[in-house]
Amino acid sequence: MGKGTDKLYITHSEWASEDSFSASVGSGASKSRSAPGASFKRLPFNFCSVSLQPFKHPVCTGDGTIFDLTNILPWLKKHGTNPVTGLPLKSSELIKLHFAKNDDEEYVDPVTYKIFTDNTHIVALRNTGNVFAYETIERLNIKAKMWRDLVSDAEFSRADIITLQDPQNVASRDLSSFKYIQDGVSTLTAEQAKERNETVNTKAMGSSERILKAKEAVEKARRERVDPNRNPASHSSKALGSKSMTTQSTRPNGSAHTGRLIPFNAAQHTTGKAAASFTSTGLTPHTSGERALLTDEEYMLKPKRVKIKGYARIQTNLGDLNVELQTEYAPKAVWNFVHLAKKGYYRGISFHRSIRNFMLQGGDPTGTGKGGTSIWGKNFNDEFEGPLTHDARGVISMANKGKNTNSSQFFITYRAASHLDRKHTIFGRVVGGLDVLSRIENVETDSSDRPTEAVTIDDIVVFIDPFEEFQKQKDEKDQAERDKEEIRKQGGTEDERVTWTGKRVRADGGSEAEEQKAAGAVGKYLHAPIDGEDEIVGEWDDSAAPPARKKGKIGGGFGNFDAW
């Protein structure tokens, strides 16, 4: 009966072990669940890495990640990154794959016709897109030193071999390592999401239909209540009245689920007052989870928030360089450069390094390349979220001593330098004065790449500060909203005071037509005589008919037939 014994009963430890089938699972099972790699989920080779469904039009990236073309193109149009790694990705970098199939519609090697499984080492050729088993390429191409495609006879090199699946490296197909899954980003398009929501036939659910509709109504009302961009002028007076009653009925220190609007500069974290007052008797009890408020600087330094481009002029002793600042993708670097320039930090500083056909570096007050501080007095982090690359002459980037060590030094490229991508933060480019840049490049340098003729920065003039422009536009928008709200409180504009029937509406809700009727219409004769005029009494008319007499009820019989 027992495991490995002749006992006719099962002990408690055997009953509660990890391989038992009881409802009370013991400590052994919990250890096996918490073991490293317990959450490992492998994606099959014939599945798309975005939709997690079998692909129909397979394509791959340079590192061997397979996608379905119909699923990866909407993702790239919306995000522009590789959903698995998070790195920038363009549609032109995708490689179309050509899988061979047998009569049973199974993927096979086109030479040996060996069926592909999850344990097959599968590779593809970059230039043709044909897919083979690695043992076929190794035996017929690598060992034979015959570098031609076995299907199309096109030439290729060892660098053109892309690994799609390696059974010895299953971590590359681990779903838990995909970035978009870790971030919880939905991969459904708007049409797919709508189709998924419409798959439920609520009419066939009986009483559950009312429950779903009520739930949707509650969610809609909750979204409208907490939406910070909601325009109060668009709501009716009834909605405004109910909102004011709800606000008055809430407690001063209520929970975070009250109907208060979230400020535009609210952070994702709370103030921490509730936790601090809960654990300390020296603080006033606070029960609301209010969000912390960001300063104007912290609010504007979020990537892709300020999309206004800045413009400045670097005045040197050899000429002027007009530069454009990319605030959208590098707000911290642009903030640092603009405020240091306004402060006069770069005035009189020399370019201490110039390498022909590479770059020009400056921004160090000491002139040694080892000094310089940022506007915050400490180094700030790199900013690589965006499509900016060192792909042309005149790109301006931050110089650093390693990861997240940006200070005040910057450099300007003399040519494209793709090996610097995602190593240095790009925050601008030269848009005028490229002839001056060529003049600086032609200056002779010594053995340490220092110009023999001093190339100094006389001053940096900021023409357009993107952060000031953003703040100005925001203030104008807020003022317009306040003016609109004030007009609404006063009854609206002249056009809004006229109903669809043409009646003019007063501020208190009544119409001017009713006021005119009450003041000067026919009904005035019914209230009181007009002052200064005699009352008019008409003459007696004998021909007038006398008032009709009430006919009494006649009980019984057929009544009087005179009226017939």
Side-chain angles (χ1 to χ4, degrees), residues 82-127:
N82 189 327
V84 175
T85 61
L87 300 177
L89 180 64
K90 299 179 180 178
S91 58
S92 58
E93 300 176 4
L94 298 176
I95 303 170
K96 185 177 180 181
L97 299 178
H98 303 284
F99 279 87
K101 291 184 178 182
N102 57 13
D103 296 337
D104 296 331
E105 294 297 321
E106 295 175 323
Y107 293 111
V108 297
D109 182 278
V111 178
T112 62
Y113 289 94
K114 181 179 179 181
I115 299 175
F116 289 157
T117 66
D118 290 337
N119 298 319
T120 306
H121 193 169
I122 306 174
V123 297
L125 300 184
R126 188 188 306 272
N127 55 343

Side-chain angles (χ1 to χ4, degrees), residues 331-373:
K332 292 181 181 178
V334 173
W335 177 283
N336 178 68
F337 180 81
V338 168
H339 284 77
L340 287 179
K342 288 185 174 181
K343 185 181 175 182
Y345 184 87
Y346 293 115
R347 193 173 297 137
I349 294 179
S350 301
F351 288 101
H352 60 273
R353 190 180 181 198
S354 178
I355 302 177
R356 187 170 296 178
N357 293 327
F358 183 30
M359 63 87 191
L360 172 70
Q361 183 175 344
D364 179 12
T366 64
T368 61
K370 301 179 180 179
T373 57

Side-chain angles (χ1 to χ4, degrees), residues 17-88:
S17 62
E18 61 180 355
D19 56 347
S20 66
F21 297 95
S22 64
S24 57
V25 182
S27 60
S30 62
K31 290 179 182 178
S32 65
R33 290 193 186 99
S34 61
S39 61
F40 175 80
K41 292 183 180 180
R42 182 177 180 179
L43 183 68
F45 76 92
N46 61 332
F47 275 54
C48 171
S49 298
V50 176
S51 63
L52 306 183
Q53 298 295 326
F55 53 68
K56 296 181 180 179
H57 308 283
V59 294
C60 76
T61 61
D63 57 357
T65 306
I66 304 178
F67 301 104
D68 193 304
L69 186 63
T70 58
N71 296 319
I72 189 60
L73 288 181
W75 175 277
L76 294 179
K77 185 177 180 181
K78 183 177 181 181
H79 301 279
T81 59
N82 189 327
V84 175
T85 61
L87 300 177

Side-chain angles (χ1 to χ4, degrees), residues 363-403:
D364 179 12
T366 64
T368 61
K370 301 179 180 179
T373 57
S374 68
I375 191 65
W376 300 284
K378 59 180 181 181
N379 296 336
F380 60 94
N381 295 342
D382 298 323
E383 296 171 295
F384 297 145
E385 296 183 6
L388 303 178
T389 56
H390 299 82
D391 57 350
R393 179 182 177 88
V395 175
I396 307 176
S397 299
M398 295 298 300
N400 57 43
K401 294 176 286 188
K403 183 179 180 181

